[in-house]
Amino acid sequence: MTALSLMRLIPSPPAIIEKGEIIFEERDLLKLTEKEMRQVRGGKISMIFQDPMTSLNPVFTCGYQIKEILLQHRICAPKDADKLISKTLLEVGITDPNRIVSNYPHQLSGGMRQRVMIAMALACSPRLLIADEPTTALDVTVQARILDLLHHLQENKSMSMVLITHNLGIVGDIAHDVLVMYAGEVMEKAPTGVLFKEPAHPYTQSLLETIPQIGNKKKRLTVIPGEVPTLRNIPGGCPFHPRCKFATSRCKNEHPGIYSLSDNHQVRCFLYDK
Ligand code: SF4
Protein backbone atom coordinates (compact mmCIF):
# COMPACT_ATOMS: atom_id res chain seq x y z
CA MET A 1 0.00 0.00 0.00
CA THR A 2 2.82 2.42 0.92
CA ALA A 3 4.76 1.66 -2.26
CA LEU A 4 1.67 1.99 -4.46
CA SER A 5 0.87 5.30 -2.75
CA LEU A 6 4.39 6.59 -3.50
CA MET A 7 3.78 5.84 -7.17
CA ARG A 8 0.24 7.27 -6.95
CA LEU A 9 -1.09 3.96 -8.19
CA ILE A 10 -3.89 3.55 -5.64
CA PRO A 11 -7.21 4.08 -7.43
CA SER A 12 -8.67 7.39 -6.31
CA PRO A 13 -11.59 7.32 -5.60
CA PRO A 14 -12.03 5.31 -3.41
CA ALA A 15 -8.56 6.02 -1.92
CA ILE A 16 -7.77 9.52 -0.66
CA ILE A 17 -4.37 10.83 0.37
CA GLU A 18 -5.46 13.13 3.20
CA LYS A 19 -2.18 14.69 4.23
CA GLY A 20 1.60 14.56 3.93
CA GLU A 21 4.07 14.98 1.10
CA ILE A 22 6.01 12.62 -1.16
CA ILE A 23 9.22 14.51 -1.88
CA PHE A 24 11.31 13.11 -4.71
CA GLU A 25 14.15 15.12 -6.26
CA GLU A 26 12.85 18.23 -4.49
CA ARG A 27 9.35 17.95 -5.94
CA ASP A 28 6.18 16.89 -4.14
CA LEU A 29 4.81 14.02 -6.23
CA LEU A 30 1.33 14.71 -4.86
CA LYS A 31 1.31 18.04 -6.72
CA LEU A 32 2.26 16.65 -10.15
CA THR A 33 -0.31 16.32 -12.93
CA GLU A 34 -1.13 12.82 -14.16
CA LYS A 35 0.94 13.52 -17.31
CA GLU A 36 4.00 14.54 -15.26
CA MET A 37 3.48 11.55 -12.98
CA ARG A 38 3.55 9.20 -15.98
CA GLN A 39 7.07 10.43 -16.74
CA VAL A 40 8.14 9.72 -13.15
CA ARG A 41 6.63 6.22 -13.10
CA GLY A 42 8.89 3.78 -14.86
CA GLY A 43 11.24 6.60 -15.86
CA LYS A 44 12.59 8.01 -12.59
CA ILE A 45 10.98 5.59 -10.15
CA SER A 46 10.50 1.93 -11.04
CA MET A 47 8.89 -0.84 -9.12
CA ILE A 48 9.33 -4.62 -9.02
CA PHE A 49 6.28 -6.46 -7.77
CA GLN A 50 5.99 -9.66 -5.73
CA ASP A 51 4.83 -12.07 -8.35
CA PRO A 52 6.30 -11.68 -11.84
CA MET A 53 3.70 -14.03 -13.34
CA THR A 54 0.87 -11.66 -12.51
CA SER A 55 2.86 -8.52 -13.36
CA LEU A 56 4.02 -9.54 -16.84
CA ASN A 57 1.44 -9.53 -19.61
CA PRO A 58 0.96 -13.17 -20.70
CA VAL A 59 -0.01 -12.35 -24.30
CA PHE A 60 3.07 -10.31 -25.25
CA THR A 61 6.67 -11.49 -25.58
CA CYS A 62 9.16 -10.32 -22.96
CA GLY A 63 11.05 -8.32 -25.62
CA TYR A 64 7.87 -6.48 -26.65
CA GLN A 65 7.11 -5.55 -23.03
CA ILE A 66 10.58 -4.09 -22.40
CA LYS A 67 10.52 -2.26 -25.75
CA GLU A 68 7.19 -0.66 -24.90
CA ILE A 69 8.75 0.98 -21.82
CA LEU A 70 11.80 2.23 -23.71
CA LEU A 71 9.68 3.81 -26.44
CA GLN A 72 7.07 5.20 -24.05
CA HIS A 73 9.77 7.05 -22.14
CA ARG A 74 11.66 7.94 -25.35
CA ILE A 75 14.86 6.38 -24.02
CA CYS A 76 16.04 5.47 -27.51
CA ALA A 77 14.96 5.51 -31.16
CA PRO A 78 12.89 2.46 -32.23
CA LYS A 79 15.76 1.23 -34.41
CA ASP A 80 18.13 1.10 -31.38
CA ALA A 81 15.66 -0.56 -29.00
CA ASP A 82 16.65 -4.18 -29.72
CA LYS A 83 20.29 -3.50 -28.93
CA LEU A 84 19.40 -1.76 -25.66
CA ILE A 85 17.03 -4.59 -24.65
CA SER A 86 19.81 -7.16 -25.15
CA LYS A 87 22.21 -5.02 -23.11
CA THR A 88 19.70 -4.67 -20.26
CA LEU A 89 18.94 -8.40 -20.23
CA LEU A 90 22.68 -9.18 -20.09
CA GLU A 91 23.00 -6.78 -17.13
CA VAL A 92 20.46 -8.76 -15.14
CA GLY A 93 22.33 -12.00 -15.74
CA ILE A 94 20.39 -13.36 -18.74
CA THR A 95 23.07 -14.91 -20.90
CA ASP A 96 20.95 -15.63 -23.99
CA PRO A 97 18.91 -12.43 -24.49
CA ASN A 98 17.99 -13.28 -28.09
CA ARG A 99 15.98 -16.29 -26.94
CA ILE A 100 14.32 -14.46 -24.04
CA VAL A 101 13.09 -11.51 -26.11
CA SER A 102 11.00 -13.84 -28.25
CA ASN A 103 9.69 -15.87 -25.28
CA TYR A 104 6.32 -15.39 -23.58
CA PRO A 105 6.34 -15.20 -19.75
CA HIS A 106 4.89 -18.72 -19.34
CA GLN A 107 7.90 -20.15 -21.19
CA LEU A 108 10.32 -18.93 -18.49
CA SER A 109 11.15 -20.18 -14.98
CA GLY A 110 10.18 -18.07 -11.92
CA GLY A 111 13.73 -16.77 -11.53
CA MET A 112 13.98 -15.83 -15.21
CA ARG A 113 10.62 -14.03 -15.09
CA GLN A 114 11.80 -12.03 -12.07
CA ARG A 115 14.99 -11.13 -13.98
CA VAL A 116 12.86 -9.91 -16.90
CA MET A 117 10.82 -7.81 -14.44
CA ILE A 118 14.04 -6.34 -13.05
CA ALA A 119 15.25 -5.63 -16.59
CA MET A 120 11.96 -3.80 -17.30
CA ALA A 121 12.35 -1.81 -14.11
CA LEU A 122 15.94 -0.88 -14.95
CA ALA A 123 15.41 -0.20 -18.65
CA CYS A 124 15.04 3.56 -18.13
CA SER A 125 17.88 3.81 -15.54
CA PRO A 126 15.61 4.96 -12.70
CA ARG A 127 16.95 6.98 -9.76
CA LEU A 128 14.84 4.94 -7.35
CA LEU A 129 13.83 1.29 -7.47
CA ILE A 130 11.01 0.10 -5.22
CA ALA A 131 11.27 -3.66 -4.76
CA ASP A 132 8.15 -5.01 -3.07
CA GLU A 133 8.92 -8.49 -1.70
CA PRO A 134 10.81 -9.23 -4.94
CA THR A 135 11.78 -12.77 -3.97
CA THR A 136 8.65 -14.07 -2.21
CA ALA A 137 7.54 -16.22 -5.15
CA LEU A 138 10.99 -17.76 -5.66
CA ASP A 139 12.81 -20.71 -4.12
CA VAL A 140 15.67 -20.01 -1.72
CA THR A 141 18.62 -20.43 -4.10
CA VAL A 142 17.04 -18.27 -6.81
CA GLN A 143 16.13 -15.78 -4.07
CA ALA A 144 19.79 -15.44 -3.09
CA ARG A 145 20.83 -14.88 -6.72
CA ILE A 146 18.17 -12.21 -7.32
CA LEU A 147 19.13 -10.39 -4.11
CA ASP A 148 22.82 -10.46 -5.08
CA LEU A 149 21.85 -9.05 -8.44
CA LEU A 150 19.77 -6.22 -6.93
CA HIS A 151 22.56 -5.38 -4.50
CA HIS A 152 25.13 -5.31 -7.30
CA LEU A 153 22.92 -3.20 -9.63
CA GLN A 154 22.09 -0.74 -6.85
CA GLU A 155 25.79 -0.12 -6.17
CA ASN A 156 26.89 0.02 -9.79
CA LYS A 157 24.10 2.24 -11.03
CA SER A 158 24.16 4.62 -8.03
CA MET A 159 20.46 3.98 -7.70
CA SER A 160 18.54 4.14 -4.45
CA MET A 161 16.42 1.17 -3.52
CA VAL A 162 13.43 0.83 -1.23
CA LEU A 163 13.15 -2.84 -0.37
CA ILE A 164 9.93 -4.03 1.23
CA THR A 165 10.31 -7.37 2.99
CA HIS A 166 9.28 -9.37 6.02
CA ASN A 167 12.59 -11.24 5.92
CA LEU A 168 15.00 -9.81 8.49
CA GLY A 169 17.91 -11.81 7.02
CA ILE A 170 17.50 -9.91 3.75
CA VAL A 171 17.27 -6.63 5.68
CA GLY A 172 20.54 -7.39 7.49
CA ASP A 173 22.27 -8.27 4.20
CA ILE A 174 21.15 -5.43 2.00
CA ALA A 175 19.67 -2.42 3.80
CA HIS A 176 21.58 0.62 5.03
CA ASP A 177 18.60 2.07 6.92
CA VAL A 178 15.45 0.36 8.16
CA LEU A 179 11.90 1.49 8.83
CA VAL A 180 9.97 -1.07 10.87
CA MET A 181 6.27 -0.77 10.07
CA TYR A 182 3.23 -2.11 11.91
CA ALA A 183 -0.44 -1.56 11.02
CA GLY A 184 0.56 0.99 8.39
CA GLU A 185 2.74 3.10 10.69
CA VAL A 186 6.47 3.51 11.18
CA MET A 187 7.35 2.08 14.60
CA GLU A 188 11.12 2.45 14.49
CA LYS A 189 13.71 3.97 12.19
CA ALA A 190 17.44 3.31 12.47
CA PRO A 191 20.58 2.37 10.52
CA THR A 192 20.61 -1.41 10.06
CA GLY A 193 23.54 -2.09 12.42
CA VAL A 194 21.94 -0.07 15.21
CA LEU A 195 18.55 -1.72 14.73
CA PHE A 196 19.94 -5.23 15.03
CA LYS A 197 22.22 -4.37 17.97
CA GLU A 198 19.94 -2.13 19.98
CA PRO A 199 16.33 -2.63 18.87
CA ALA A 200 14.25 -0.16 20.87
CA HIS A 201 10.61 -0.77 19.95
CA PRO A 202 8.93 -3.78 21.60
CA TYR A 203 7.68 -4.89 18.17
CA THR A 204 11.21 -4.84 16.68
CA GLN A 205 12.54 -6.67 19.73
CA SER A 206 9.83 -9.33 19.39
CA LEU A 207 10.50 -9.73 15.67
CA LEU A 208 14.19 -10.33 16.30
CA GLU A 209 13.40 -12.82 19.06
CA THR A 210 11.34 -14.90 16.62
CA ILE A 211 14.37 -15.66 14.44
CA PRO A 212 15.49 -19.25 15.19
CA GLN A 213 19.11 -19.43 16.35
CA ILE A 214 21.44 -22.27 15.36
CA GLY A 215 22.43 -24.19 18.49
CA ASN A 216 19.41 -23.03 20.49
CA LYS A 217 17.79 -26.24 21.71
CA LYS A 218 14.43 -24.70 22.73
CA LYS A 219 11.58 -27.06 21.78
CA ARG A 220 9.18 -24.29 20.72
CA LEU A 221 9.98 -21.31 18.52
CA THR A 222 9.27 -17.85 19.93
CA VAL A 223 6.15 -16.19 18.51
CA ILE A 224 4.54 -12.79 18.98
CA PRO A 225 1.22 -13.46 20.75
CA GLY A 226 -2.04 -12.32 19.15
CA GLU A 227 -2.68 -11.43 15.53
CA VAL A 228 -1.85 -8.61 13.16
CA PRO A 229 -4.91 -6.31 13.10
CA THR A 230 -6.77 -5.75 9.86
CA LEU A 231 -6.45 -2.19 8.58
CA ARG A 232 -10.23 -1.76 8.96
CA ASN A 233 -9.99 -2.54 12.64
CA ILE A 234 -6.81 -1.01 14.05
CA PRO A 235 -6.81 -0.92 17.87
CA GLY A 236 -7.01 2.53 19.46
CA GLY A 237 -4.02 4.01 21.28
CA CYS A 238 -0.80 2.27 20.30
CA PRO A 239 -1.77 -0.21 17.54
CA PHE A 240 0.66 -2.75 19.01
CA HIS A 241 -0.78 -2.62 22.55
CA PRO A 242 -2.85 -5.87 22.44
CA ARG A 243 0.37 -7.80 21.71
CA CYS A 244 2.89 -5.81 23.76
CA LYS A 245 4.19 -7.14 27.08
CA PHE A 246 5.01 -3.58 28.23
CA ALA A 247 1.57 -2.10 27.50
CA THR A 248 0.09 0.24 30.13
CA SER A 249 -3.29 1.95 30.33
CA ARG A 250 -1.75 4.97 28.58
CA CYS A 251 -0.87 2.73 25.61
CA LYS A 252 -4.53 1.73 25.31
CA ASN A 253 -5.82 5.29 25.28
CA GLU A 254 -3.18 7.50 23.67
CA HIS A 255 -1.46 7.26 20.34
CA PRO A 256 2.34 7.42 20.82
CA GLY A 257 4.38 10.01 18.96
CA ILE A 258 7.92 9.63 17.68
CA TYR A 259 10.75 9.86 20.24
CA SER A 260 14.39 10.42 19.23
CA LEU A 261 17.03 8.22 20.82
CA SER A 262 19.81 9.78 18.72
CA ASP A 263 20.15 11.74 15.47
CA ASN A 264 19.40 8.69 13.36
CA HIS A 265 17.37 6.46 15.68
CA GLN A 266 13.68 7.18 16.29
CA VAL A 267 10.98 5.09 17.91
CA ARG A 268 7.21 5.33 18.36
CA CYS A 269 6.74 4.11 21.93
CA PHE A 270 5.82 5.63 25.30
CA LEU A 271 8.67 3.73 26.97
CA TYR A 272 10.96 6.47 25.65
CA ASP A 273 8.84 9.41 26.77
CA LYS A 274 11.10 11.13 29.26
S1 SF4 B 1 3.54 2.43 23.30
FE1 SF4 B 1 3.03 0.95 24.87
S2 SF4 B 1 1.97 -0.71 23.79
FE2 SF4 B 1 3.00 0.54 22.27
S3 SF4 B 1 4.91 -0.50 21.98
FE3 SF4 B 1 5.30 1.07 23.50
S4 SF4 B 1 4.95 0.04 25.46
FE4 SF4 B 1 4.11 -1.27 23.91
Side-chain angles (χ1 to χ4, degrees):
M1 188 65 81
T2 307
L4 291 174
S5 307
L6 291 178
M7 300 279 269
R8 283 187 36 198
L9 282 175
I10 307 257
S12 172
I16 307 165
I17 296 183
E18 287 187 338
K19 57 184 178 183
E21 299 169 315
I22 304 171
I23 304 294
F24 176 73
E25 294 190 332
E26 297 173 13
R27 287 194 300 175
D28 183 356
L29 297 187
L30 294 180
K31 296 196 175 129
L32 301 190
T33 61
E34 190 43 46
K35 192 172 166 207
E36 290 169 324
M37 199 57 214
R38 269 202 295 274
Q39 292 308 311
V40 172
R41 270 187 225 117
K44 299 222 171 225
I45 306 180
S46 284
M47 189 162 168
I48 311 172
F49 297 91
Q50 284 191 12
D51 182 0
M53 197 56 196
T54 52
S55 308
L56 290 167
N57 192 325
V59 298
F60 292 112
T61 61
C62 296
Y64 178 92
Q65 296 185 57
I66 303 175
K67 193 178 208 168
E68 196 181 16
I69 295 178
L70 292 174
L71 300 185
Q72 181 76 28
H73 288 277
R74 298 196 179 89
I75 298 297
C76 63
K79 67 179 174 47
D80 300 324
D82 290 341
K83 223 198 267 169
L84 191 53
I85 293 169
S86 294
K87 181 173 164 271
T88 314
L89 289 173
L90 282 169
E91 268 177 1
V92 299
I94 292 176
T95 46
D96 52 351
N98 293 338
R99 178 177 70 86
I100 299 299
V101 287
S102 57
N103 276 175
Y104 290 87
H106 75 271
Q107 295 174 294
L108 306 180
S109 66
M112 278 305 223
R113 281 197 288 265
Q114 195 56 292
R115 281 176 199 265
V116 170
M117 282 289 295
I118 296 171
M120 283 171 73
L122 296 179
C124 300
S125 302
R127 305 295 305 137
L128 172 66
L129 177 69
I130 301 175
D132 183 3
E133 299 267 15
T135 56
T136 309
L138 307 174
D139 68 56
V140 184
T141 40
V142 182
Q143 240 181 46
R145 273 190 237 130
I146 295 288
L147 287 169
D148 270 356
L149 171 68
L150 285 174
H151 200 186
H152 169 81
L153 290 170
Q154 185 248 323
E155 285 188 347
N156 284 299
K157 290 186 168 277
S158 306
M159 168 186 79
S160 299
M161 182 158 74
V162 173
L163 178 72
I164 300 168
T165 180
H166 63 272
N167 185 327
L168 288 167
I170 295 177
V171 172
D173 270 356
I174 289 198
H176 298 131
D177 295 285
V178 188
L179 295 177
V180 179
M181 297 191 69
Y182 185 80
E185 276 190 293
V186 175
M187 293 290 151
E188 184 163 1
K189 173 178 177 292
T192 310
V194 174
L195 190 101
F196 278 83
K197 209 160 151 221
E198 297 156 16
H201 196 281
Y203 177 53
T204 317
Q205 292 167 355
S206 308
L207 278 180
L208 291 171
E209 281 164 17
T210 60
I211 301 174
Q213 305 291 331
I214 293 177
N216 185 342
K217 300 238 164 42
K218 271 201 309 191
K219 286 223 171 80
R220 296 189 74 86
L221 296 174
T222 309
V223 295
I224 306 177
E227 284 176 16
V228 179
T230 64
L231 293 184
R232 283 167 183 255
N233 200 11
I234 294 178
C238 169
F240 189 57
H241 86 255
R243 310 176 74 190
C244 179
K245 58 186 171 198
F246 304 107
T248 62
S249 58
R250 185 182 184 195
C251 306
K252 291 178 191 155
N253 298 313
E254 277 180 54
H255 187 253
I258 299 270
Y259 299 98
S260 273
L261 307 183
S262 67
D263 284 351
N264 53 15
H265 192 179
Q266 281 88 36
V267 60
R268 186 186 292 282
C269 175
F270 287 130
L271 293 177
Y272 303 91
D273 182 7
K274 299 281 185 269

